[in-house]
Amino acid sequence: MVGTFLVRGLLVGLLAGLIAGGFAFAFGEPRVDAAIALEEAAAPEPAAEEAGHSHGEEAKISRPVQKAGLFLATGLYGLAVGGVFALVFAGLRGRVGPRSDGRLALAAVGTAFAAVILVPFVKYPANPPAVGDPETINGRTVLYLVMILVGLAATAIAVATARRVTADPWARWVAAVIVFLVPVVAAWALLPTVDEVPDGFPATLLWEFRIASIGTQLVFWAAFGVLFGWASERAARRTSDVPLSAAAPA
């Protein structure tokens, strides 16, 4: 059974990754090109190359290759997420959440998106090229990972709280939301803010890039949740129909 979920997660993750790649290509890449143009216009080409920021035809990986590799990256991302999600889903099935496989998939996807994507993005949103100091990338990566861990821990606490609250469903949901938000909001307030947007960088371009970035993740997780839930629900119905058809000849 776990192997079946794993294969389903990998296939659905790959498909959702390619769908998200199409969204990123259409809405994100034009903003990346615009940011690169600003970066290269602000500094002479030799200076950009010395800083490791050359994106032109002489760059180590040219922009056309980068754009083609976008679908490879989102496809691999989908495979990784799909595999991990399938294993978690197999562990949750029948233990927590809705009994329906389709509803459980949607609930798990929504929770994962909030914990792993939305929580860190609110504190540390994505930045286009020309935004961010290369010397601080390690520190920024650590802070982003800390926010992911906070989101996962808050989710675990919220699920445990929801299972212990035996009152009506509304009370259960309110309690879960409160215990989820307390550590998340505390982390948003206590962790250092990173603001490395250079003076004069177009605010419209910055926010369009960030919207495209979170939009790509939203498209991926929505597509993955719908497809995985639909496939799981269909497989569950087919399995429940087998005994009836087998017993029909008798």
Short mmCIF file of all heavy atoms in Angstrom, two decimals, residues 1-2 5 87-101 104 159 163:
data_model
loop_
_atom_site.label_atom_id
_atom_site.label_comp_id
_atom_site.label_asym_id
_atom_site.label_seq_id
_atom_site.Cartn_x
_atom_site.Cartn_y
_atom_site.Cartn_z
N MET A 1 0.82 -1.20 0.00
CA MET A 1 0.00 0.00 0.00
C MET A 1 0.86 1.26 0.00
O MET A 1 0.59 2.22 -0.73
CB MET A 1 -0.92 0.00 1.23
CG MET A 1 -1.83 1.22 1.29
SD MET A 1 -2.99 1.32 -0.09
CE MET A 1 -4.11 -0.02 0.33
N VAL A 2 1.92 1.27 0.82
CA VAL A 2 2.80 2.44 0.86
C VAL A 2 3.46 2.65 -0.49
O VAL A 2 3.61 3.78 -0.97
CB VAL A 2 3.86 2.28 1.97
CG1 VAL A 2 4.85 3.43 1.94
CG2 VAL A 2 3.18 2.21 3.34
N PHE A 5 1.08 4.42 -2.84
CA PHE A 5 1.02 5.85 -2.55
C PHE A 5 2.29 6.56 -3.02
O PHE A 5 2.23 7.68 -3.52
CB PHE A 5 0.80 6.09 -1.06
CG PHE A 5 -0.59 5.83 -0.59
CD1 PHE A 5 -0.84 4.92 0.42
CD2 PHE A 5 -1.67 6.49 -1.17
CE1 PHE A 5 -2.13 4.68 0.86
CE2 PHE A 5 -2.97 6.25 -0.74
CZ PHE A 5 -3.19 5.34 0.27
N LEU A 87 4.55 9.46 1.58
CA LEU A 87 4.90 8.71 2.78
C LEU A 87 4.17 9.25 4.00
O LEU A 87 3.67 8.49 4.84
CB LEU A 87 6.42 8.74 2.99
CG LEU A 87 7.26 8.06 1.90
CD1 LEU A 87 8.75 8.24 2.19
CD2 LEU A 87 6.91 6.58 1.78
N VAL A 88 4.12 10.58 4.11
CA VAL A 88 3.39 11.19 5.23
C VAL A 88 1.90 10.89 5.14
O VAL A 88 1.25 10.56 6.14
CB VAL A 88 3.63 12.72 5.25
CG1 VAL A 88 2.78 13.38 6.32
CG2 VAL A 88 5.11 13.03 5.48
N PHE A 89 1.37 10.96 3.93
CA PHE A 89 -0.05 10.68 3.72
C PHE A 89 -0.38 9.24 4.12
O PHE A 89 -1.41 8.99 4.77
CB PHE A 89 -0.41 10.91 2.25
CG PHE A 89 -1.85 10.66 1.91
CD1 PHE A 89 -2.80 11.65 2.09
CD2 PHE A 89 -2.26 9.43 1.42
CE1 PHE A 89 -4.14 11.43 1.79
CE2 PHE A 89 -3.60 9.19 1.11
CZ PHE A 89 -4.53 10.20 1.29
N ALA A 90 0.47 8.31 3.77
CA ALA A 90 0.24 6.91 4.14
C ALA A 90 0.23 6.74 5.65
O ALA A 90 -0.52 5.92 6.19
CB ALA A 90 1.32 6.02 3.50
N GLY A 91 1.07 7.52 6.34
CA GLY A 91 1.09 7.44 7.80
C GLY A 91 -0.13 8.09 8.45
O GLY A 91 -0.59 7.65 9.51
N LEU A 92 -0.65 9.14 7.83
CA LEU A 92 -1.80 9.85 8.39
C LEU A 92 -3.11 9.14 8.10
O LEU A 92 -4.07 9.27 8.86
CB LEU A 92 -1.87 11.27 7.82
CG LEU A 92 -0.75 12.24 8.17
CD1 LEU A 92 -0.95 13.56 7.43
CD2 LEU A 92 -0.70 12.48 9.67
N ARG A 93 -3.18 8.42 7.01
CA ARG A 93 -4.43 7.82 6.54
C ARG A 93 -5.02 6.89 7.61
O ARG A 93 -4.38 5.96 8.07
CB ARG A 93 -4.16 7.05 5.26
CG ARG A 93 -5.38 6.52 4.55
CD ARG A 93 -4.97 6.02 3.17
NE ARG A 93 -6.09 5.46 2.44
CZ ARG A 93 -6.34 4.16 2.35
NH1 ARG A 93 -5.53 3.29 2.96
NH2 ARG A 93 -7.37 3.73 1.67
N GLY A 94 -6.24 7.20 7.98
CA GLY A 94 -6.93 6.39 8.97
C GLY A 94 -6.61 6.75 10.40
O GLY A 94 -7.20 6.19 11.33
N ARG A 95 -5.69 7.70 10.62
CA ARG A 95 -5.30 8.07 11.98
C ARG A 95 -5.76 9.47 12.35
O ARG A 95 -6.24 9.69 13.46
CB ARG A 95 -3.77 7.97 12.13
CG ARG A 95 -3.24 6.54 12.03
CD ARG A 95 -1.73 6.52 12.21
NE ARG A 95 -1.23 5.15 12.25
CZ ARG A 95 -0.90 4.45 11.18
NH1 ARG A 95 -1.04 4.99 9.97
NH2 ARG A 95 -0.46 3.22 11.29
N VAL A 96 -5.57 10.42 11.44
CA VAL A 96 -5.99 11.80 11.70
C VAL A 96 -6.67 12.34 10.46
O VAL A 96 -6.55 11.79 9.36
CB VAL A 96 -4.78 12.70 12.05
CG1 VAL A 96 -4.09 12.22 13.32
CG2 VAL A 96 -3.79 12.75 10.90
N GLY A 97 -7.38 13.44 10.65
CA GLY A 97 -7.99 14.12 9.52
C GLY A 97 -9.23 13.44 9.01
O GLY A 97 -9.72 12.46 9.59
N PRO A 98 -9.75 13.92 7.88
CA PRO A 98 -10.95 13.32 7.29
C PRO A 98 -10.71 11.86 6.89
O PRO A 98 -9.60 11.46 6.57
CB PRO A 98 -11.18 14.19 6.03
CG PRO A 98 -10.42 15.45 6.27
CD PRO A 98 -9.25 15.06 7.10
N ARG A 99 -11.78 11.07 6.92
CA ARG A 99 -11.67 9.67 6.54
C ARG A 99 -11.57 9.50 5.03
O ARG A 99 -11.01 8.52 4.55
CB ARG A 99 -12.88 8.89 7.08
CG ARG A 99 -12.96 8.89 8.60
CD ARG A 99 -11.74 8.27 9.23
NE ARG A 99 -11.79 8.32 10.69
CZ ARG A 99 -10.80 7.88 11.48
NH1 ARG A 99 -9.71 7.39 10.95
NH2 ARG A 99 -10.91 7.97 12.79
N SER A 100 -12.12 10.42 4.29
CA SER A 100 -12.04 10.36 2.84
C SER A 100 -10.63 10.67 2.38
O SER A 100 -10.01 11.64 2.83
CB SER A 100 -13.02 11.36 2.22
OG SER A 100 -12.74 11.58 0.85
N ASP A 101 -10.07 9.83 1.49
CA ASP A 101 -8.72 10.05 1.00
C ASP A 101 -8.59 11.38 0.27
O ASP A 101 -7.58 12.07 0.39
CB ASP A 101 -8.31 8.91 0.06
CG ASP A 101 -7.94 7.65 0.81
OD1 ASP A 101 -7.88 7.70 2.06
OD2 ASP A 101 -7.71 6.61 0.17
N LEU A 104 -8.65 14.17 2.88
CA LEU A 104 -7.42 14.13 3.66
C LEU A 104 -6.26 14.70 2.85
O LEU A 104 -5.41 15.44 3.38
CB LEU A 104 -7.10 12.70 4.09
CG LEU A 104 -5.78 12.50 4.83
CD1 LEU A 104 -5.75 13.32 6.11
CD2 LEU A 104 -5.55 11.02 5.14
N VAL A 159 -2.02 20.05 15.44
CA VAL A 159 -2.68 18.77 15.21
C VAL A 159 -2.88 18.03 16.53
O VAL A 159 -3.96 17.46 16.78
CB VAL A 159 -1.85 17.91 14.22
CG1 VAL A 159 -2.41 16.49 14.15
CG2 VAL A 159 -1.85 18.55 12.84
N ARG A 163 -6.58 17.06 18.29
CA ARG A 163 -6.97 15.69 18.64
C ARG A 163 -7.37 15.58 20.10
O ARG A 163 -8.15 14.69 20.48
CB ARG A 163 -5.81 14.74 18.35
CG ARG A 163 -5.43 14.65 16.89
CD ARG A 163 -4.39 13.57 16.65
NE ARG A 163 -4.94 12.24 16.86
CZ ARG A 163 -4.24 11.12 16.77
NH1 ARG A 163 -2.95 11.17 16.46
NH2 ARG A 163 -4.80 9.94 16.96
#
